[in-house]
Amino acid sequence: MAEYSALSLLKNAFSGNRGWKPAWRKASPKPAYDVIVVGGGGHGLATAYYLAAEHGIRKVAVLEKGWLGSGNIGRNTTIVRSNYLLPESIRFYDHSVRLWENLSHELNYNVMFSQRGVLNLAHSPAQADDYIRRGNAMRHEGGDGVWLSPAQIARYAPGVDISPSARFPVVGGLLQPRAGTARHDAVAWGYARAADRLGVDIIENCEVTGFLRDGDQIAGVSTSRGDIRGKKVAVAVAGSTGRVMKLAGIENLPIESHVLQAFVSESIKPFVDCVVTFGAGHLYMSQSDKGGLVFGGSLDLYNSYAQRGNLPLVEEVMSEMTAMFPAVARLRLLRSWGGVMDMSMDGSPIITKGPLPGMYLNCGWCYGGFKATPASGYSFAWTIAKDEPHPINAPFTLSRFERGVIIDEKGQGPTPKLH
Amino acid sequence: MLISCPHCGPRDLAEFTYQGDAARTRPDPASTDTAAWHAYVYERPNPAGLHREYWQHSGGCRSHLLVVRDTVSHEIVSAEFARKAREKTG
Ligand SMILES: Cc1cc2nc3c(=O)[nH]c(=O)nc-3n(C[C@H](O)[C@H](O)[C@H](O)COP(=O)(O)OP(=O)(O)OC[C@H]3O[C@@H](n4cnc5c(N)ncnc54)[C@H](O)[C@@H]3O)c2cc1C
Ligand SMILES: [Zn+2]
């Protein structure tokens, strides 16, 4: 198994990097498991890890239709934060931030979690009031919301255009100092390696094509590599939720799949050392360790299962970028890509037992499932192991829509593209 | 994506506003059937493939259109005036 140290780096540097060992076994499916996790994204892998590490359930398989990291875990803009308004959200995402803070140690794998701060720019007095209210809600729950004046913003993030002549003048900003970014691929690889070492089988190129049943009970899955029986089957397939749940006969869910694009520029010298979001539109940006500016904006705003978007959105994101940071106008774009997002009807996730006996469901991550990876895996594993939710995911049921207890941060209503 | 507006002809995506799934039917406003309201407000078939959906040509003639589009390839199969489509299917 792969071990990383200064010494192994040096050794491999001198031997043409041919001596590296795989970080996890190439497991083949066994006939049966205690728990089958469908989907080898961040959430599926974290779930398998916590099942083994926290609950001693080690007969676990993670089934991934492609290769690890081919879904949104490898496509996101890596922002981790818990700057929410509603107590349910703050508690869940703050639990996640606390897990992030110790994740590299826990997994013995450097996930490069960098608490560089997330700064939300406000551009009108009304928006300032709204952000300050959110900051106060965070502080109320023991979180770290800090209000910055334009002068403080100029010191904190020098590239931001705070001049009164800006197209959307900046009136202040809400900063969460403990928020930041992490290395997305490393999160998948770190959870995969740690789960593998506890005995979890990670099975790539294994697409789930149907569900096995004993009467009403879900009793396993059929896959491109044969049938596999499982006492419990946990679905964590993010943007593919609609497709996979249809295989189990669930035709309707409070979810729509949409495409979100992201962009990275050519590398430049250190320019901005925190995450900045633009409040007059929808834009979030940070600089990677390699020097590229990593940024994204809105969804393409129509249902899509294509992992690519269209040009109007590209144009919009670029115009917001140059409004916020005029200095980047002449930078070249290196790459852009898209991922399929499981947009829920209230903008909040679903982590629950059911909806069929023997099944467990994790979905509805919208724009923000990367930051949730540790808490999602932790609470989903808890729910699977104990057949009841952990306090942090108890509000995130599927039945909340029927009962009218939705968790809608911005009060947008049941229009997924707006969350 | 180009959408062929029956009034204006093929126009760029940027001129249109997406208004979501057209398969839903609103229960009678007087209905107190909460299951039917729940289905109408919150549940979506979310297909990977052909999707009947509403768009408005908001940057053009402002007509509401019923578009059939493939959510995997983004291919647009048809676009017609929403009201006419409605009259056809009843
Ligand atoms: C462009 C973009 C930017 C984003 N930026 C951020 C951000 O800055 N911060 C943040 O918190 N979140 C962000 N997100 C959201 C975040 O990436 C997702 O919410 C999160 O990664 C979803 O969970 P996951 O990692 O488990 O998903 P995925 O990695 O998509 O995992 C799901 C897996 O299921 C597999 N699968 C599907 N069908 C089957 C099947 N039938 N059988 C077996 N396996 C199957 C897929 O191949 C996939 O690997 C962003 C997303 C995108 C697309
Ligand atoms: Zn028109």
Side-chain angles (χ1 to χ4, degrees):
Chain A
M1 281 301 130
E3 297 293 348
Y4 309 107
S5 65
L7 193 68
S8 71
L9 263 181
L10 208 64
K11 222 174 76 189
N12 280 288
F14 285 108
S15 58
N17 281 313
R18 293 215 182 80
W20 293 110
K21 298 208 181 72
W24 58 88
R25 292 168 293 132
K26 284 249 169 292
S28 305
K30 297 195 186 89
Y33 291 92
D34 288 343
V35 179
I36 293 174
V37 179
V38 184
H43 294 228
L45 293 165
T47 303
Y49 168 74
Y50 291 112
L51 277 170
E54 296 280 328
H55 305 283
I57 302 178
R58 296 182 176 206
K59 283 191 201 143
V60 176
V62 178
L63 309 182
E64 166 52 48
K65 97 176 158 190
W67 66 92
L68 287 197
S70 56
N72 287 352
I73 186 69
R75 289 168 187 265
N76 64 76
T77 45
T78 79
I79 300 166
V80 173
R81 59 185 179 86
S82 59
N83 52 3
Y84 281 81
L85 174 69
L86 301 177
E88 295 87 347
S89 314
I90 299 173
R91 284 170 206 155
F92 179 83
Y93 289 106
D94 220 52
H95 190 96
S96 210
V97 169
R98 284 198 295 276
L99 290 172
W100 276 109
E101 284 170 336
N102 192 41
L103 197 59
S104 292
H105 282 125
E106 164 132 26
L107 301 178
N108 187 25
Y109 198 103
N110 189 359
V111 300
M112 298 167 78
F113 181 47
S114 158
Q115 292 177 296
R116 57 184 59 195
V118 169
L119 174 63
N120 301 143
L121 300 178
H123 305 266
S124 69
Q127 194 169 35
D129 286 351
D130 182 42
Y131 284 10
I132 290 168
R133 176 179 175 225
R134 183 149 52 86
N136 285 338
M138 290 162 65
R139 297 179 80 95
H140 202 69
E141 289 288 334
D144 57 335
V146 182
W147 181 250
L148 298 188
S149 67
Q152 288 169 311
I153 290 172
R155 277 199 300 279
Y156 192 81
V160 174
D161 183 5
I162 56 146
S163 64
S165 63
R167 175 67 184 82
F168 299 99
V170 172
V171 302
L174 178 64
L175 172 70
Q176 185 183 22
R178 286 161 62 239
T181 57
R183 172 92 170 91
H184 51 0
D185 296 319
V187 176
W189 300 334
Y191 271 121
R193 188 179 74 155
D196 176 86
R197 289 183 175 189
L198 294 171
V200 171
D201 281 355
I202 294 164
I203 306 168
E204 292 170 85
N205 299 308
C206 181
E207 178 174 358
V208 169
T209 53
F211 288 83
L212 308 176
R213 288 170 195 262
D214 279 344
D216 285 352
Q217 189 82 16
I218 295 289
V221 291
S222 14
T223 77
S224 52
R225 298 178 67 176
D227 287 359
I228 308 171
R229 297 190 67 82
K231 290 184 192 139
K232 297 182 173 185
V233 177
V235 176
V237 293
S240 302
T241 300
R243 277 173 145 169
V244 171
M245 294 302 282
K246 275 197 182 61
L247 301 174
I250 306 283
E251 291 294 332
N252 289 294
L253 282 170
I255 300 275
E256 282 184 5
S257 293
H258 283 251
V259 59
L260 178 66
Q261 305 191 55
F263 309 88
V264 63
S265 78
E266 60 186 321
S267 290
I268 53 173
K269 287 184 178 169
F271 172 65
V272 57
D273 63 358
C274 60
V275 180
V276 189
T277 76
F278 180 61
H282 189 190
L283 179 82
Y284 33 93
M285 186 273 241
S286 65
Q287 186 169 19
S288 78
D289 296 319
K290 279 191 276 187
L293 304 182
V294 180
F295 55 102
S298 286
L299 301 172
D300 272 40
L301 302 177
Y302 47 80
N303 289 46
S304 175
Y305 281 90
Q307 283 174 322
R308 62 188 164 76
N310 271 297
L311 289 171
L313 203 279
V314 177
E315 198 177 352
E316 185 180 316
V317 168
M318 299 310 142
S319 63
E320 289 183 26
M321 203 44 189
T322 49
M324 185 163 74
F325 289 112
V328 306
R330 296 180 65 186
L331 268 189
R332 277 165 299 187
L333 202 62
L334 203 63
R335 277 186 307 131
S336 74
W337 63 92
V340 182
M341 315 272 284
D342 38 336
M343 301 299 297
S344 70
M345 287 288 159
D346 61 358
S348 293
I350 296 159
I351 311 173
T352 186
K353 189 179 163 179
L356 300 172
M359 188 188 248
Y360 302 78
L361 179 62
N362 176 318
C363 65
W365 290 105
C366 301
Y367 286 86
F370 177 67
K371 63 177 174 295
T373 305
S376 164
Y378 182 87
S379 62
F380 197 36
W382 180 292
T383 308
I384 298 163
K386 297 184 190 283
D387 274 322
E388 62 181 33
H390 186 274
I392 60 163
N393 70 311
F396 297 101
T397 57
L398 180 58
S399 65
R400 69 177 183 267
F401 299 98
E402 265 168 276
R403 291 180 290 121
V405 281
I406 53 166
I407 305 165
D408 186 344
E409 275 288 314
K410 287 180 279 175
Q412 299 277 32
T415 307
K417 67 173 185 178
L418 299 180
H419 291 299
Chain B
M1 250 157 50
L2 280 181
I3 300 182
S4 278
C5 172
H7 188 262
C8 314
R11 292 303 188 97
D12 188 77
L13 170 66
E15 293 183 9
F16 296 85
T17 308
Y18 184 59
Q19 295 178 317
D21 192 318
R24 303 176 288 148
T25 39
R26 185 199 284 264
D28 179 342
S31 162
T32 53
D33 178 351
T34 46
W37 280 107
H38 168 250
Y40 170 70
V41 176
Y42 292 115
E43 291 196 332
R44 301 288 182 274
N46 192 27
L50 293 186
H51 191 223
R52 288 164 62 83
E53 56 196 27
Y54 291 123
W55 290 78
Q56 187 187 11
H57 194 187
S58 43
C61 66
R62 304 194 65 77
S63 302
H64 292 271
L65 308 179
L66 188 138
V67 173
V68 178
R69 186 180 56 96
D70 191 317
T71 57
V72 179
S73 65
H74 293 168
E75 185 199 348
I76 292 182
V77 179
S78 66
E80 52 188 329
F81 292 121
R83 185 184 302 248
K84 286 206 181 127
R86 197 91 191 166
E87 279 161 8
K88 263 197 316 208
T89 54

